[in-house]
Amino acid sequence: MGGGCHRPSTGRLGGRAGVSMDRPESKSDARRHRFVRNLNAAPDDNRRLGRIVATVLVGLLVFCFATESEWWPFSGFSLFSQVRGPEQTSWNLYVVDSQGAREAVALDSLPESHWGSHHVLPTLPDASGEEQRAAARAWVQAAGYDLDEVEQVQVVRTVSLVPTDLDASAREVSQTVTLTIDFP
Amino acid sequence: MSGSVASPVDLRQLDQAVFGPGSAHRVACVRTALVVVIGLRLISHQWWSLSGRPAELFRPVPIVSWLATVPSAWLLVAVEVVGLTAVVLCVMKRWPRITFVLAWASLLFLAALHSSSGKIMHNEVLLLLACVPLMFAPGGARVWDRRETVASGWPPRLALIVVALVYFMTGLEKLMNSGRDWVASDNLSWVLYAGAQSDASVLPALAIAIAGTWLPPVIAGLSLTLELAAPVLLWGRRTRYLFAAGIVGMHVGIGLLIGLDYSAWALTVIVLVFPWDQLRQATSEERTTTRFLPIRLAR
């Protein structure tokens, strides 16, 4: 066992103290020595570093939670925190043409790059007129409508009843136009 | 975090439990396993499909607010490739500290873009936050390494504290926003009914079936208890496994029934709770036995 290979006496943590005297220090030896030097020579420094990281990390987590700030990936963590009931709210976009015909924009069928963009709809009434028009134009174009034929775009809040059967579909309870954007 | 529970007033003991020496083997295992989870998340999405979003529909989260819109597809692919290369190098123990940070930063950037659609996405949040302490872990730590150092001790423990805190805050937020109605009302039944309508639900019929029984309030109560008790459960070594089992069950249930992918959360908990040190001890005992077995037989 061991093949008679005698190595110099090792230090407390297995560092080969005399190795550089016999032959050039290998990369792995150098790495091990650096590791031992850095970590054991200054445990207080490492403790201090740990405390700083812990204070900043935990502090930011608690701050964002307490102030409900969303500094992603720090968050207020309001995941499913509201009580759900039989009614659900969805936000939709409708286009109205020059004849007054109204059609829902299939936001689910938009290109993948527009995935989740319907989450912008509830905040759109608070945006400036120019921002509202630009956003509406982006959706309508992505959905393949000819902008020249669109007179108006409506943001609609729909409340419907959640179906309790897989074969049933959601029954609409109310529809409210929350924003109307006229296209020049 | 040792198995013993410190008195609430004994801050020195608490400090020692968090910032005392720990095994280099554990920190190396945790870092490697977490970077593998990062790799899995990097390949689980077609991140380049985010490209092409009009600037008008881009609602950047603060860390990518310097961007006017989502960058081009080739840049997103490049970031993903850099991230995956870093994952492979980190697993191979090549510059583990740097490659870990690179892999983490790649996922952070891509997931931040994913979360810039007007709704905060939490899918990657726990993994990203739990990885932060591991960035400060010693690069020289290796699997099967017997050394016990201060630098190796606190990163995995702090990651566990982050996990405990996040779950606790998630539970507390439910309690603050909805009170006991979150458990006692039909809340979870309606969550299940609505989730069953989602295309992402794997078992919609089961979700509907469960929603109509007495189970939802029980499940809601258990979930909320698990979240609120996270700091206590994660402190004790044995109760940690109970917490991990409960959390994995909860996230698997959420994934199958309502189609929400929180697998990164479950995997993060598994990695941090797994008894890496016991694995080393068991393996070294096995090695010793195997090594001496022929000699014993020869005698």
Side-chain angles (χ1 to χ4, degrees), chain A residues 52-160:
Chain A
I52 292 169
V53 175
T55 306
V56 172
L57 197 54
V58 172
L60 277 170
L61 279 168
V62 172
F63 176 80
C64 286
F65 174 75
T67 58
E68 298 192 344
S69 306
E70 293 295 344
W71 295 350
W72 191 97
F74 294 92
S75 167
F77 291 105
S78 53
L79 292 157
F80 280 87
S81 61
Q82 302 291 340
V83 170
R84 307 289 170 104
E87 290 184 348
Q88 63 184 5
T89 304
S90 60
W91 292 81
N92 305 291
L93 202 66
Y94 284 79
V95 289
V96 182
D97 67 14
S98 52
Q99 310 298 315
R102 187 169 176 258
E103 190 176 86
V105 176
L107 293 173
D108 293 345
S109 308
L110 294 182
E112 270 190 83
S113 57
H114 290 61
W115 179 90
S117 63
H118 63 279
H119 294 304
V120 174
L121 285 170
T123 61
L124 214 52
D126 301 327
S128 71
E130 191 47 47
E131 283 172 342
Q132 289 171 353
R133 258 189 298 280
R137 199 177 296 124
W139 274 307
V140 169
Q141 276 182 324
Y145 288 92
D146 184 352
L147 277 177
D148 294 336
E149 292 176 9
V150 176
E151 285 282 303
Q152 202 178 66
V153 170
Q154 296 175 344
V155 176
V156 175
R157 180 178 182 270
T158 306
V159 177
S160 53

Side-chain angles (χ1 to χ4, degrees), chain B residues 216-287:
Chain B
V218 176
I219 297 170
L222 286 173
S223 306
L224 189 59
T225 307
L226 201 59
E227 288 177 345
L228 291 171
V232 177
L233 292 175
L234 283 171
W235 187 261
R237 191 166 285 168
R238 286 185 183 158
T239 50
R240 247 176 245 173
Y241 307 136
L242 183 72
F243 176 79
I247 285 297
V248 169
M250 184 174 89
H251 288 308
V252 168
I254 289 171
L256 294 176
L257 298 175
I258 60 177
L260 296 180
D261 177 16
Y262 279 87
S263 55
W265 287 52
L267 289 170
T268 303
V269 170
I270 291 171
V271 168
L272 292 172
V273 165
F274 191 85
W276 300 105
D277 281 333
Q278 287 174 22
L279 180 74
R280 185 193 63 183
Q281 283 159 10
T283 312
S284 63
E285 276 169 21
E286 194 179 312
R287 279 177 179 171

Side-chain angles (χ1 to χ4, degrees), chain B residues 6 23 33 35 61 83 92 105 108 131 143 149-150 157 160 162 164 181 237 247 249 259 267 276 290:
Chain B
S23 115
V35 88
V61 292
M92 292 168 67
L108 180 82
C131 281
V143 176
T149 65
V150 169
R157 292 182 198 128
L160 210 52
V162 168
D181 281 354
R237 191 166 285 168
I247 285 297
L267 289 170
W276 300 105
T290 315

Side-chain angles (χ1 to χ4, degrees), chain A residues 31 35 39 46-47 50-51 65 68 72-73 75 78-81 83-84 113-116 119-120 134 163, chain B residues 15 19 49 51 53-54 56 59 117 119 121-122 125 138 142 147 151 154 169 173-174 177-178 182 187:
Chain A
R31 198 163 48 226
F35 176 79
L39 304 186
N46 282 309
R47 267 202 185 86
R51 288 185 191 119
F65 174 75
E68 298 192 344
W72 191 97
S75 167
S78 53
L79 292 157
F80 280 87
S81 61
V83 170
R84 307 289 170 104
S113 57
H114 290 61
W115 179 90
H119 294 304
V120 174
Chain B
D15 185 80
F19 300 107
S49 67
S51 164
R53 168 167 300 202
E56 297 81 12
R59 297 289 184 273
S117 60
K119 184 181 189 299
M121 309 301 286
H122 291 96
V125 159
R142 293 287 182 269
R147 283 169 288 195
W154 64 265
M169 292 191 303
E173 186 72 24
K174 290 181 178 95
N177 280 337
S178 306
W182 198 87
N187 169 43

Side-chain angles (χ1 to χ4, degrees), chain A residues 156-167:
Chain A
V156 175
R157 180 178 182 270
T158 306
V159 177
S160 53
L161 289 177
V162 177
T164 55
D165 197 323
L166 272 184
D167 301 325

